[in-house]
Amino acid sequence: MNGKVTFIGAGPGAADLITLRGARAIADADIVIWASSLVQAEILEHARPDAVVVDSAALPIEGVLPYYEQAARDGLRVARVHSGDPALWGAIQEQLERAKELGLETEVIPGVSAFSAVAALAQRELTVPEVAQSVILTRLEGGKTPMPPKESIRAFAEHGTTMAVFLSAARCGQLAAELLAGGYDTDTPVIVASRATWPDEEIVHCTVGTMADTVKARKLWKHTLFLIGPALGSSGTRSHLYHPGHFHEHRRADPAARRALRAAQ
């Protein structure tokens, strides 16, 4: 039997936000690799009693590769557990490449990202009709990992839509300055979320103009996400999807409501 590595999105924190498929993959694994700094220990309750459990919090990729090599040699199943969704800043691409070089089967199971978890906690829709119909996922340039030259907070801010900014709390003053320079008003709503869905989570509402002082006052330097944009404070709009004048293959439009909707457009 060929060995296999399954990369699993464990969600933003709360252990019960893992998918059923992810939990089954952990239960089937001979080796479970997880990061205690990013994933709650309750996730390990899905592991078999005889599984080898490895905390990767202090390991570079070179410290993880021997387990992949063992899996290839002995036909074992590895569950590689990542926080949030592994497609976003999960560093899985290099691991996928090494696993395939070893002849291992690979699978990626998506997870709940922190940005969608924070929107749920705040009970806000990120794509509001006539206000914002796009969401930009990014981080502040100038950090440990180089950003492509055309990707900057200032350039993205020019769109004026909803932004989810990761990995940037330690430089919140610079982040606020770039958002303002890109075109957001000082009173644009911001949600600052630290350790969302963990027992000690902290969710704070502020504005672009006050976000830096908010972060500094509460010392929210790590595991912090920013949601930014006018959609976070809007109200009174209506989606056409559920308007009685809208029709699709499963529903007919009300004629009077249809005429009113077309007139409004």
Side-chain angles (χ1 to χ4, degrees), residues 37-107:
S37 58
L38 299 172
V39 179
Q40 284 200 32
E42 287 83 351
I43 289 291
L44 300 178
E45 293 176 1
H46 298 292
R48 300 197 321 251
D50 63 334
V52 175
V53 177
V54 180
D55 184 356
S56 64
L59 298 178
I61 189 173
E62 288 78 8
V64 173
L65 287 177
Y67 297 99
Y68 294 174
E69 293 166 356
Q70 181 185 358
R73 184 175 61 251
D74 300 335
L76 303 179
R77 292 180 178 271
V78 177
R80 181 68 168 98
V81 184
H82 285 260
S83 61
D85 184 277
L88 297 174
W89 296 282
I92 66 166
Q93 203 61 47
E94 57 198 89
Q95 296 181 73
L96 284 164
E97 292 170 4
R98 298 301 294 273
K100 290 177 180 178
E101 288 172 3
L102 291 168
L104 289 162
E105 295 181 22
T106 55
E107 179 185 11

Side-chain angles (χ1 to χ4, degrees), residues 235-246:
S235 62
T237 61
R238 180 169 183 176
S239 169
H240 289 179
L241 180 61
Y242 298 108
H243 193 287
H246 178 73

Side-chain angles (χ1 to χ4, degrees), residues 117-126 186-194 201-215 217-218 220 224-234:
V118 173
L121 289 168
Q123 299 187 25
R124 296 299 313 189
E125 185 174 354
L126 303 183
T186 57
D187 60 354
T188 300
V190 176
I191 299 172
V192 184
S194 174
E201 72 181 7
E202 190 165 357
I203 311 294
V204 185
H205 294 258
C206 59
T207 66
V208 172
T210 62
M211 62 183 290
D213 289 339
T214 299
V215 171
R218 296 175 179 266
L220 304 178
T224 297
L225 170 74
F226 300 91
L227 292 182
I228 304 152
L232 302 176
S234 65

Side-chain angles (χ1 to χ4, degrees), residues 6-26 32-46 56 79-90 92 107-117 196-198:
T6 302
F7 297 89
I8 303 162
D16 58 356
L17 284 177
I18 193 171
T19 64
L20 293 173
R21 185 179 298 183
R24 285 196 295 267
I26 293 173
V32 179
I33 303 174
W34 73 300
S36 61
S37 58
L38 299 172
V39 179
Q40 284 200 32
E42 287 83 351
I43 289 291
L44 300 178
E45 293 176 1
H46 298 292
S56 64
R80 181 68 168 98
V81 184
H82 285 260
S83 61
D85 184 277
L88 297 174
W89 296 282
I92 66 166
E107 179 185 11
V108 180
I109 298 176
V112 176
S113 175
F115 83 91
S116 55
T197 79
W198 288 71

